[in-house]
Amino acid sequence: MKKYLLLISGLLFSSSLALAGDWTGGDDLPTNPLPCSGPAPAGEAKPYDGGSPTGAPNRKGKTITVVDVPKLVGIGYFSATTKGILDAAAEMGSMNAKTDGPSEANIDDQITLIDNYITQGVDGVLFAANDPGAIAPVLKKALSKGINVVGYDANSDPDARQWFVNQAEFNGIAKSLVDNMAREIGGSGGVAIVTSTFTTPNQARWIAEMEAYSNKCHPKLEWLETVEAQEDNILSFNQANTLINKYGSDLKGIYGMTSVATPASADAVTQANQCGNIAVVGLATPNAMKPYVNSGCVESVVLWNPVDLGYAAAYVLRAVADGDLKPGATSVNAGKLGELQVINGSEILLGAPYTFNKGNINDFDF
Amino acid sequence: MRMKSIFRHETILFLVVIAALVILSIQAEQFATIDNLLNQGRFLTEVSLVALIMTFVIVTGGIDLSVGSILGLSAIVLGVAWKKLGLPLPLAILVALSVGTLAGLFNGIIITRFKVPPLIATLATLALYRGLAEGISQARSIRGYPEWFFVLGQGEFFGIPTQLWIVAFFTLLTGFILTYTTWGRATYAIGANETAARFSGIAVDKTKLFIYAASGFAASLAAIIFVSRVSTTRSDMGMGLELDAITAVVLGGTSIFGGKGTIVGTFFGLILIQILKNGLSLAGVKSDGTYIAIGLVLILTLLISNLFNRNSEG
Amino acid sequence: MNNQYENNNKFFSRFLINYGQELVLLASIIILFVVVSQVNHRFLGGNNLNTIFAGNAYIGVAAIGMSILIITGNIDVSVGALIGVLATICGTLAVSGYPIWVAWTAPILVGIAVNSLVGIIVAYAGIPSIVVTLGMMSILRGGLISVTGGDWITDMPEGFFLAQQDFMGIRVPLLALIFFTILMFYIMSNTTWGRSLYAIGGNPEAARTSGIDLKKGVVIAFAVHGMFVGLSTILFATQLNIIQSTVPPNLELTVITASVIGGVSIMGGTGTVIGSSLATILFAAIGSSLIFIGVSAYWLRAIMGILILCTVLADMARRRRVVT
């Protein structure tokens, strides 16, 4: 009996060794880490690679009907982007916008909804894709019916939409997260990741860029493990706890890759009385993080402002519909946000990611 | 007897479908167009294929919760066989169909040989098949399928979406099998009283094995059409499909206890759910409202049908 | 002497028949704990046991209610959606200034009310429970999004966080799970009402002739299940300092799996709540142990599926041996 137990545990142990040391959760696309310090190099100008609607009517100055289809409805992040879109619509006075999305981040439900709105005959579609490829056929269908299509938050294939409002570049987010982590844990130590699922494109991209940047600029950060936790806060909490229990004092920091995982990880660290010993750095909305930032358990939260993201997306759609934003443009006016730059051919950059901390987090409400 | 046939569940469901069609056409002008209705066929396909065979499964008194996971697994196998193993796409399609059928057959073996109740067996394989899909894919999606492959999910044939022909064919085929063949009669007999069926010489285990394998096949066929429609492969495809299919089947009047149910009923059930999803959306109802409406229609339709049937029996 | 031995043997095989699945689960848990702690001794650390037991107790409490329902031959697929709705009610009341006991009682009462309604439709209109609860799931899910729009609930008052409390050194959720498991096990095996549940599911005809009101029995089973959903919600909602007002993904499948793998027969009539609670703990322990032994995260769910299948097949093998 004992022999068997030893054999089994031996097998399991060796397999765990064999599997260790590999970043899990990243994708295979090429990475482009930013320089460790100093300004980012200017990207090469790329020609416009977005699509264009066929036979779109002249919508200049006319009131347009717009539907916004986020990845899912019912989470704080997309409530915030909706608010931004509605704010912009109210400000412009020439846009009827409404948000309608699936209740789970499901590729098929999202496609069905967009298709219904194409049939209904909207003037514009705003979307945040659950999958860049799966959503492409229905977006192309929208373009072929003369509908203006603009993405935000999560991109589709470039030729399936006109423009994409990029909240912050992947390598910029990665740099911000890794730099914050390195600063908080003193430059070296073991770190782990709590993400939603390995199939979520944005998260996989960030993880891959974080790996590249971390290897380049903070080689003493030792990656321990990535765990999946869906968009479920109790599961995220349990998974973060399991990491804390497994690695003990070897674990110096946890990255939360979603607005659900970050607060749940912070809660796990708080309840394990490890504040100050284990840093939590992640992407999250300020409202969900206020309890942990105010208590001092979490120093910094990285995010762009999702209200601004929605707001900018609405302005970009208006500019496209008016014919003011054409292929080849280098910037676009986005109301109170001013002029936003065009990057990567057909993307509009919202700005650099923003770091919330104790000093400023209470000024935000989303 | 005559009263009963007038107030059959299928008849009531048919009236509900007609009522929904009329109301939705009035509420949304874009609803009752040929284009829109044909287009809905595309969205109906995957769940239809699965629900048609699910009707057989439920008529035998069983259930198959693993169909969504089989869809995910078959999709991944298709992609991996084609892209990673370098098989020609038609061969990869055959491999994916075989894996799906085997997965269904494996369900059948656990259920017939090891006497595990179908709900428990397929709950376990629901986790297993989804896990295999994740493990094999390493969470990578597979893309870049050749243009001809998209004919299946995005193309047309004589002006009608390709997959609608497939659904029509399978609806007629399954309807014929369940109503007019010995297989169909055996299916009902097993569901009505399995022990009696065994004693009267029906090959109960063989029939069940065949039905669960067919369920796996239907899910993998749905996988191929789905991949063709969305042009990409992900391991989380088909999540929650099992509940959508079961909803359509029970709305169609198939008894969850077995022994009773028709393909016609399932067909109307599928149509009713799809036109509600589409029509309500066109009429300006958001998806949360549509969820509520589908839940209410499901409960109310069965409530009305039960009331009529009880009266006619009494 | 011989007779005594035979009696013992009979007692033992009876015990195996009645509590076999519970023993299989208990043995699996012990083996798992022994093996994994060999690989990483931190697995048995107090914090990790707390994560496994207390972190998943809400699933076990919901599975108690589900087991009662399944024993009567019914099922509830809306349980995840209902927990999402009740958690939102619980949190909203707590932050709108109502006393904490009101916030804690409301989910129980609403849970009982909703499930009694389902029970009435099932029992008196004769619609199978899977159909009614499928419909209910859709209604609750849509309703929750329409009402909350997805805002998180934070800033609950001090003292709200029941699931974070210790009592005599043990986390409250674990205590609650143990308490309700033993209580319901006792009630179901020793009271007339408890035995009537088994009769309703196992042999309704016999139950009717022995004077049990089947319809009333089903409604009451649903109401009791609703109460446990409410209790589960309290543990769910008070575990973190934030409440995510959405439906927890796939929670209904987790709860149903715990019940049926715990030995509750889906045909009704047999099973105990001890089995469902042990199954909850086993699954939580498997999930945690796979991380501890470092299984590749991509294969984690596949291995979980194989282990669930093994549990099911082990139970079938045991049953066959006992019968023959």
Side-chain angles (χ1 to χ4, degrees):
Chain A
M1 188 67 188
K2 210 167 179 189
K3 242 187 218 167
Y4 276 103
L5 287 184
L6 277 176
L7 182 71
I8 293 173
S9 42
L11 278 175
L12 293 172
F13 190 66
S14 53
S15 65
S16 73
L17 281 184
L19 294 163
D22 194 22
W23 283 69
T24 315
D27 58 22
D28 301 323
L29 300 173
T31 53
N32 179 23
L34 291 175
C36 301
S37 57
E44 289 170 44
K46 248 169 81 181
Y48 179 78
D49 58 355
S52 53
T54 41
N58 179 12
R59 297 191 168 106
K60 185 151 184 87
K62 292 183 184 137
T63 298
I64 56 174
T65 315
V66 171
V67 64
D68 158 43
V69 186
K71 286 181 174 183
L72 73 166
V73 291
I75 66 168
Y77 179 81
F78 285 114
S79 308
T81 55
T82 299
K83 182 173 180 298
I85 292 166
L86 295 179
D87 287 353
E91 208 174 279
M92 292 182 278
S94 58
M95 183 185 279
N96 293 320
K98 85 167 178 181
T99 296
D100 192 0
S103 71
E104 285 171 30
N106 176 317
I107 55 173
D108 200 20
D109 288 353
Q110 188 176 33
I111 294 167
T112 312
L113 269 176
I114 295 177
D115 197 278
N116 283 339
Y117 281 100
I118 295 172
T119 310
Q120 210 183 85
V122 291
D123 298 301
V125 171
L126 290 167
F127 71 91
N130 281 314
D131 184 282
I135 203 171
V138 76
L139 293 182
K140 284 181 184 159
K141 180 175 171 185
L143 287 175
S144 76
K145 306 265 175 185
I147 296 172
N148 292 116
V149 181
V150 170
Y152 66 94
D153 181 71
N155 205 351
S156 69
D157 293 348
D159 63 342
R161 44 84 184 147
Q162 293 176 272
W163 297 89
F164 171 69
V165 183
N166 193 338
Q167 56 272 37
E169 293 204 76
F170 290 107
N171 53 8
I173 303 262
K175 177 178 163 63
S176 206
L177 287 171
V178 176
D179 281 346
N180 274 320
M181 178 64 84
R183 187 173 41 75
E184 288 182 31
I185 68 174
S188 69
V191 292
I193 299 175
V194 181
T195 186
S196 49
T197 69
F198 297 136
T199 44
T200 320
N202 275 2
Q203 270 72 14
R205 203 76 274 280
W206 284 320
I207 292 173
E209 286 286 358
M210 282 161 67
E211 175 192 12
Y213 181 76
S214 189
N215 286 342
K216 180 177 165 190
C217 301
H218 300 283
K220 284 184 181 161
L221 288 186
E222 185 200 355
W223 174 82
L224 299 170
E225 190 158 356
T226 306
V227 292
E228 274 187 307
Q230 318 297 331
E231 295 273 348
D232 180 342
N233 68 346
I234 301 277
L235 184 62
S236 304
F237 172 77
N238 284 341
Q239 295 287 63
N241 265 321
T242 306
L243 290 172
I244 295 170
N245 300 334
K246 178 179 175 185
Y247 291 105
S249 56
D250 293 340
L251 181 69
K252 297 289 182 219
I254 298 177
Y255 292 111
M257 297 310 298
T258 71
S259 59
V260 178
T262 311
S265 302
D267 216 304
V269 170
T270 307
Q271 289 193 33
N273 294 319
Q274 293 291 328
C275 292
N277 298 328
I278 299 176
V280 175
V281 173
L283 302 164
T285 52
N287 276 356
M289 291 305 287
K290 277 175 195 167
Y292 314 105
V293 173
N294 286 332
S295 76
C297 196
V298 174
E299 277 185 40
S300 54
V301 182
V302 177
L303 201 71
W304 48 93
N305 184 328
V307 181
D308 287 351
L309 179 61
Y311 180 92
Y315 265 91
V316 168
L317 184 66
R318 182 73 250 185
V320 174
D322 285 348
D324 295 343
L325 178 58
K326 292 194 188 77
T330 53
S331 70
V332 60
N333 182 283
K336 66 177 183 192
L337 299 174
E339 288 286 319
L340 297 179
Q341 298 306 309
V342 170
I343 56 165
N344 295 338
S346 59
E347 296 180 12
I348 287 141
L349 186 63
L350 182 65
Y354 194 82
T355 301
F356 300 97
N357 54 36
K358 206 167 184 170
N360 63 19
I361 196 166
N362 293 311
D363 304 337
F364 295 90
D365 182 25
F366 59 80
Chain B
M1 193 63 204
R2 193 187 260 170
M3 280 295 279
K4 225 176 172 178
S5 59
I6 291 174
F7 292 112
R8 281 175 61 129
H9 180 82
E10 287 81 355
T11 321
I12 292 165
L13 194 58
F14 179 70
L15 295 176
V16 175
V17 170
I18 298 294
L21 278 171
V22 171
I23 294 170
L24 292 170
S25 323
I26 296 169
Q27 292 296 317
E29 54 185 89
Q30 306 92 339
F31 173 71
T33 60
I34 302 284
D35 262 2
N36 180 49
L37 294 179
L38 282 181
N39 189 32
Q40 292 313 306
R42 290 196 197 277
F43 298 108
L44 196 70
T45 304
E46 293 91 11
V47 70
S48 295
L49 291 173
V50 168
L52 289 171
I53 308 294
M54 185 75 84
T55 312
F56 284 73
V57 173
I58 295 181
V59 166
T60 65
I63 200 152
D64 187 353
L65 295 178
S66 70
V67 283
S69 297
I70 295 181
L71 192 152
L73 178 60
S74 308
I76 287 300
V77 167
L78 171 72
V80 168
W82 174 67
K83 194 132 198 183
K84 299 266 159 68
L85 303 182
L87 297 182
L89 192 51
L91 196 61
I93 291 175
L94 280 182
V95 172
L97 290 174
S98 319
V99 167
T101 313
L102 283 177
L105 188 67
F106 184 63
N107 285 337
I109 291 172
I110 304 175
I111 291 161
T112 55
R113 288 295 293 268
F114 296 95
K115 310 279 178 239
V116 179
L119 185 118
I120 301 181
T122 55
L123 257 180
T125 54
L126 174 145
L128 176 61
Y129 297 153
R130 182 68 66 194
L132 287 176
E134 271 185 9
I136 294 171
S137 72
Q138 298 282 300
R140 271 35 169 203
S141 57
I142 290 161
R143 307 192 46 194
Y145 293 96
E147 205 56 45
W148 66 263
F149 179 59
F150 299 133
V151 169
L152 204 52
Q154 301 176 31
E156 288 181 348
F157 212 62
F158 296 119
I160 289 172
T162 320
Q163 59 263 60
L164 256 189
W165 291 100
I166 300 174
V167 172
F169 172 72
F170 272 90
T171 309
L172 293 175
L173 182 72
T174 50
F176 176 77
I177 292 176
L178 192 58
T179 323
Y180 296 110
T181 66
T182 17
W183 278 102
R185 281 191 289 278
T187 308
Y188 284 114
I190 293 169
N193 188 336
E194 192 171 325
T195 322
R198 235 176 254 280
F199 277 116
S200 62
I202 292 170
V204 173
D205 287 352
K206 217 170 117 190
T207 311
K208 278 193 184 174
L209 273 179
F210 186 80
I211 290 172
Y212 282 97
S215 179
F217 173 79
S220 56
L221 183 60
I224 286 155
I225 295 172
F226 191 36
V227 170
S228 167
R229 171 156 72 84
V230 301
S231 73
T232 183
T233 299
R234 288 163 56 107
S235 59
D236 60 357
M237 282 178 154
M239 247 179 204
L241 179 73
E242 58 281 351
L243 290 185
D244 291 344
I246 294 168
T247 305
V249 174
V250 294
L251 179 58
T254 299
S255 163
I256 204 80
F257 305 115
K260 190 173 147 280
T262 60
I263 292 293
V264 177
T266 301
F267 180 71
F268 285 137
L270 286 163
I271 297 218
L272 181 55
I273 292 174
Q274 192 60 38
I275 59 175
L276 283 177
K277 274 189 186 167
N278 172 242
L280 288 174
S281 177
L282 293 182
V285 178
K286 286 203 207 177
S287 63
D288 45 7
T290 309
Y291 280 118
I292 299 177
I294 290 175
L296 285 174
V297 166
L298 176 63
I299 295 176
L300 290 178
T301 308
L302 274 111
L303 209 60
I304 295 168
S305 165
N306 269 20
L307 285 178
F308 273 118
N309 283 327
R310 201 169 292 182
N311 285 346
S312 61
E313 275 163 31
Chain C
M1 225 16 214
N2 204 6
N3 202 9
Q4 176 70 35
Y5 174 77
E6 234 165 47
N7 265 348
N8 266 345
N9 211 4
K10 223 178 229 168
F11 172 78
F12 188 64
S13 64
R14 252 191 108 100
F15 189 77
L16 262 187
I17 293 173
N18 284 341
Y19 300 113
Q21 180 67 350
E22 287 81 348
L23 291 176
V24 169
L25 293 168
L26 193 62
S28 310
I29 293 174
I30 292 170
I31 293 173
L32 190 74
F33 276 48
V34 170
V35 172
V36 178
S37 62
Q38 301 285 320
V39 179
N40 189 333
H41 63 94
R42 287 204 187 108
F43 186 68
L44 289 186
N47 283 332
N48 201 48
L49 294 182
N50 252 338
T51 304
I52 294 174
F53 293 133
N56 295 282
Y58 73 99
I59 297 172
V61 172
I64 292 176
M66 184 67 77
S67 301
I68 295 170
L69 214 50
I70 295 180
I71 283 169
T72 65
N74 290 289
I75 199 162
D76 175 13
V77 294
S78 69
V79 62
L82 184 56
I83 287 179
V85 169
L86 295 181
T88 304
I89 294 175
C90 181
T92 308
L93 288 176
V95 293
S96 354
Y98 287 90
I100 288 168
W101 66 267
V102 174
W104 284 350
T105 323
I108 299 178
L109 295 180
V110 178
I112 293 175
V114 170
N115 268 300
S116 301
L117 176 67
V118 172
I120 288 169
I121 300 175
V122 170
Y124 291 95
I127 305 178
S129 52
I130 192 169
V131 181
V132 183
T133 54
L134 266 174
M136 198 48 116
M137 176 176 85
S138 212
I139 294 170
L140 290 171
R141 190 181 281 185
L144 183 61
I145 296 173
S146 326
V147 174
T148 69
D151 288 333
W152 296 59
I153 305 171
T154 51
D155 296 324
M156 276 77 74
E158 197 78 8
F160 173 75
F161 303 101
L162 183 66
Q164 299 178 19
Q165 309 297 317
D166 285 345
F167 187 73
M168 298 191 308
I170 304 175
R171 282 282 164 92
V172 168
L174 178 58
L175 274 182
L177 178 61
I178 295 172
F179 173 75
F180 287 119
T181 306
I182 295 174
L183 180 74
M184 282 318 292
F185 177 72
Y186 176 81
I187 290 178
M188 289 169 75
S189 47
N190 288 302
T191 65
T192 327
W193 174 70
R195 283 192 295 263
S196 77
L197 292 174
Y198 288 98
I200 292 171
N203 192 340
E205 272 316 303
R208 200 198 314 270
T209 45
S210 69
I212 296 172
D213 184 340
L214 289 182
K215 290 178 176 170
K216 216 169 112 191
V218 168
V219 175
I220 291 173
F222 267 98
V224 173
H225 166 62
M227 180 187 80
F228 278 106
V229 176
L231 289 168
S232 165
T233 302
I234 298 172
L235 301 179
F236 175 84
T238 62
Q239 203 162 4
L240 272 70
N241 293 310
I242 37 173
I243 297 174
Q244 185 188 8
S245 50
T246 47
V247 175
N250 294 327
L251 184 56
E252 57 280 346
L253 281 181
T254 315
V255 173
I256 293 171
T257 311
S259 291
V260 295
I261 307 286
V264 177
S265 164
I266 206 72
M267 317 306 290
T270 60
T272 69
V273 295
I274 292 184
S276 68
S277 295
L278 286 174
T280 308
I281 289 171
L282 177 64
F283 292 146
I286 290 175
S288 172
S289 65
L290 291 179
I291 293 180
F292 265 84
I293 58 181
V295 169
S296 159
Y298 296 124
W299 287 100
L300 208 131
R301 216 190 304 221
I303 293 175
M304 187 105 182
I306 290 174
L307 292 175
I308 294 175
L309 199 58
C310 288
T311 319
V312 170
L313 293 178
D315 180 43
M316 286 300 143
R318 172 192 63 78
R319 260 177 227 206
R320 216 176 256 191
R321 188 173 303 168
V322 168
V323 171
T324 48

